[in-house]
Amino acid sequence: MSPPVWLTRLLPLALLVSAAPADDLATTRWQIASHLYLLNWGRFDEADWDARIDYAANLGFNALRINVWWHEIVPDRASAERGGNWAALDHCVDRAAAKGLRVILTVCLRRPADGLFFGAEDRVLNLDGQPDTCWDGTTRCSFASPRFVEALRFLRAVGQRYTRQQNAGQILAIAPLVTREAEIAYAHDTLEDYHPAFVAEFRAWLAGRYEGSIDKLNAAWGTRHPRFDQVPAPRDFAGTAGRDWYRFRDLKTRQFVDSAAAALAGLPNLTQPYRLVLDYGNVGDPMAQRRGSVSFTFHADNPVVWGIKQNDAHDYDQRYTGSLLVANARRLGKLAFNEYFYDRDPARYPGRNVVEDSVGEITRHFQQGSNGVSYVGVSPGNGDLEQIIARLKAAGTWSAPVTVRTVDQATTARVRLSELLGLGGWQIKERYFDAFFAQGRSQVDLLIDNDFDDPLLPALQL
């Protein structure tokens, strides 16, 4: 079966050459040990963390990823007045560097809405008006709340704290996160954000987009709204109204990325600029439209963004997810990363074999040209992980150079972003990839063309 003609466009051969940065960071295959929490209900177990860091180094990892939770560093007013509780994170960053591990700091910009930095009135709301919640008691501040700048100030404080390590080349990247899954940009299971300030900003944006004419909006939307301040936020992405809603959410995500980049720029005594990694649940799975991650090429088109990361489930097809991520990352000159989430239960894996399935999953990430894999579950005594790594090393996969993608014009398709918004389930894969894979292709470039041309929103001022 041949791909439909309308899927493909011939590309200049120059566009098929990898645009990744030509430096050792881009050619290194990054094996990243990922750890989620510094504190155990407020307590730092130094011996446990030392053991984890040493274990990762001894297994041959070359990077360590630490989730930095805002509410762990600044849990209350007393800690805020002291400037934050940094000792545990300081220890881990320095120990990792001493063991030869580069550090990725994933900065989770969530905390309880206790009024210290933002309150209940600032929380993100879903389409049913329910506030964002999480089992750990944290929530997120709406991008449109004036208090969201407090989150960016904390991100800047992280950058300021580790200026010395950044200048010394010990920090690989910083990833700013907001969702309860420690990702960006919106929740995967519902539509956000229907906070009144967000909707009001959307209405003002619509007024500018339609030149102040409610008649022009109604003509485009097929509606009869009397005024812009009475236009409701759409509940899906259907039609022109839905595309406008998606686009505004997308612009607010890009504003967040641009604001995060600006917050880390120009720090005192910084001689090596920070690199940002954008972390998504997945860029092409059935939840990609809701979380906004299908627009990753638009979000990442900021010079400070160095890499893009996604998280596959064990039963995802890495040929598809890897092709989609890596092809577009290469086009932008960015690095691509995936996450492997260890689970000891064989039933969680498609072949019911923890080691065999994991080796296959990780190998396929690298076969698609991924620059690195982040492993969740790197704790002493993980015999499964030790077997997995031994298998990867024996096959030459662990320390091989980054795979060069070998697609050509015959295996390249281009699609407009607007065409992806109405697709559900696995329709992106089914419509744009499966025909190529049916021909035995191992790599396919689906290049997403951003066909929205709205001006960017200005970065938030701190």
Side-chain angles (χ1 to χ4, degrees):
M1 175 182 177
S2 299
V5 173
W6 57 271
L7 290 187
T8 60
R9 293 182 189 169
L10 295 181
L11 293 175
L13 289 176
L15 290 181
L16 302 174
V17 178
S18 171
D23 58 35
D24 62 336
L25 297 185
T27 57
T28 297
R29 181 166 286 187
W30 293 100
Q31 307 288 2
I32 306 161
S34 182
H35 295 291
L36 303 181
Y37 292 96
L38 275 173
L39 305 181
N40 181 12
W41 303 107
R43 181 178 63 87
F44 175 56
D45 189 333
E46 182 176 319
D48 176 64
W49 267 88
D50 287 353
R52 292 193 218 175
I53 293 170
D54 294 354
Y55 184 67
N58 291 336
L59 285 174
F61 285 90
N62 54 7
L64 181 76
R65 174 176 174 255
I66 305 173
N67 273 21
V68 182
W69 296 90
W70 188 4
H71 70 298
E72 287 188 342
I73 304 297
V74 192
D76 50 33
R77 189 168 302 281
S79 61
E81 291 173 353
R82 290 193 303 270
N85 299 336
W86 298 94
L89 184 57
D90 290 348
H91 175 84
C92 292
V93 168
D94 288 338
R95 183 159 187 113
K99 293 291 180 177
L101 300 171
R102 306 289 277 274
V103 176
I104 298 175
L105 297 172
T106 53
V107 183
C108 303
L109 302 174
R110 300 175 59 86
R111 60 174 301 108
D114 54 12
L116 182 57
F117 293 101
F118 64 88
E121 68 278 11
D122 302 297
R123 296 164 69 181
V124 160
L125 302 179
N126 69 13
L127 77 171
D128 296 318
Q130 297 301 307
D132 172 270
T133 59
C134 185
W135 64 268
D136 65 358
T138 66
T139 187
R140 61 181 295 192
C141 185
S142 171
F143 285 147
S145 166
R147 295 185 179 91
F148 186 74
V149 294
E150 298 293 345
L152 295 168
R153 287 175 181 143
F154 176 70
L155 177 69
R156 183 176 175 84
V158 173
Q160 181 68 67
R161 184 78 184 183
Y162 297 106
T163 296
R164 174 180 59 82
Q165 291 89 342
Q166 169 65 16
N167 291 342
Q170 296 166 357
I171 305 296
L172 191 59
I174 289 181
L177 312 173
V178 292
T179 73
R180 58 181 177 268
E181 295 82 24
E183 299 162 359
I184 66 170
Y186 301 98
H188 72 286
D189 55 350
T190 185
L191 280 187
E192 298 172 337
D193 176 10
Y194 291 82
H195 186 282
F198 198 96
V199 175
E201 194 173 340
F202 171 59
R203 290 166 171 164
W205 177 79
L206 288 173
R209 178 173 177 78
Y210 289 99
E211 301 174 332
S213 171
I214 193 66
D215 291 336
K216 289 184 178 180
L217 179 141
N218 284 327
W221 284 24
T223 53
R224 296 181 178 179
H225 300 305
R227 300 192 309 271
F228 280 104
D229 63 5
Q230 294 186 12
V231 174
R235 297 177 64 85
D236 55 42
F237 301 136
T240 303
R243 285 195 298 273
D244 283 350
W245 177 232
Y246 183 93
R247 183 54 176 167
F248 178 73
R249 293 166 82 250
D250 221 18
L251 286 166
K252 292 298 289 182
T253 301
R254 176 61 186 270
Q255 182 185 49
F256 165 56
V257 173
D258 293 346
S259 300
L264 293 171
L267 288 169
N269 304 315
L270 186 68
T271 60
Q272 300 295 327
Y274 279 104
R275 293 173 286 267
L276 284 182
V277 167
L278 305 185
D279 197 333
Y280 300 94
N282 198 270
V283 299
D285 68 359
M287 290 82 78
Q289 287 87 347
R290 285 196 296 273
R291 72 166 76 86
S293 54
V294 74
S295 301
F296 71 103
T297 59
F298 171 62
H299 308 155
D301 195 17
N302 174 303
V304 179
V305 174
W306 175 69
I308 306 161
K309 176 179 168 291
Q310 68 175 355
N311 310 330
D312 271 11
H314 295 307
D315 60 350
Y316 283 10
D317 185 342
Q318 285 77 43
R319 297 176 308 166
Y320 160 63
T321 58
S323 283
L324 182 61
L325 173 65
V326 178
N328 286 282
R330 292 287 185 272
R331 184 190 192 191
L332 291 172
K334 314 294 183 180
L335 276 65
F337 301 89
N338 283 275
E339 185 159 277
Y340 161 76
F341 207 109
Y342 168 76
D343 196 305
R344 66 168 56 91
D345 183 1
R348 300 280 188 176
Y349 299 84
R352 304 297 192 269
N353 187 307
V354 174
V355 173
E356 191 71 30
D357 287 0
S358 298
V359 169
E361 178 182 335
I362 295 163
T363 298
R364 288 189 291 274
H365 287 318
F366 286 123
Q367 287 174 337
Q368 290 301 326
S370 178
N371 294 86
V373 169
S374 173
Y375 300 68
V376 176
V378 185
S379 297
N382 188 333
D384 288 338
L385 183 64
E386 292 168 13
Q387 290 185 61
I388 292 164
I389 292 174
R391 290 273 302 275
L392 294 171
K393 288 180 177 178
T397 304
W398 183 260
S399 57
V402 174
T403 300
V404 176
R405 290 176 63 80
T406 57
V407 294
D408 56 24
Q409 293 175 345
T411 53
T412 298
R414 297 179 71 163
V415 62
R416 294 187 296 272
L417 173 60
S418 61
E419 294 178 28
L420 302 179
L421 300 188
L423 302 182
W426 288 103
Q427 287 182 322
I428 298 176
K429 175 180 181 294
E430 294 162 356
R431 188 170 297 186
Y432 300 106
F433 274 85
D434 286 352
F436 287 106
F437 288 151
Q439 301 173 26
R441 306 288 189 178
S442 61
Q443 296 178 342
V444 175
D445 274 9
L446 174 60
L447 301 179
I448 301 174
D449 289 331
N450 177 27
D451 55 337
F452 297 110
D453 58 1
D454 308 280
L456 298 179
L457 303 177
L460 300 174
Q461 299 297 308
L462 302 189

